Amino acid sequence: MKKPYLTEETIKQAFTFLKSRKDHAHTMKNKEWESEFENSLRVIEELSARKR
């Protein structure tokens, strides 16, 4: 059987990466990117039932 791509660890890594990108967009005052990263984080939370 192939190794699954979506594991709890890879989901956590993706969440951490997107959170850092959202924070960077906020620092750069890029509201469009910030909202896109926030949306991505929300999708991951909803799909994985992961809470902040």
Side-chain angles (χ1 to χ4, degrees), residues 5-52:
Y5 290 108
L6 289 176
T7 64
E8 186 175 349
E9 185 60 33
T10 59
I11 292 169
K12 285 180 183 178
Q13 287 175 344
F15 193 85
T16 301
F17 173 77
L18 290 170
K19 175 93 173 77
S20 69
R21 298 310 301 158
K22 181 183 141 282
D23 293 343
H24 178 70
H26 179 76
T27 301
M28 300 302 291
K29 299 181 184 344
N30 189 330
K31 297 215 180 270
E32 183 180 345
W33 285 7
E34 186 178 0
S35 67
E36 289 295 324
F37 287 124
E38 180 62 38
N39 185 53
S40 299
L41 291 167
R42 194 174 305 116
V43 168
I44 290 173
E45 283 182 328
E46 292 297 322
L47 291 175
S48 67
R50 181 187 189 290
K51 299 296 178 194
R52 292 184 202 186

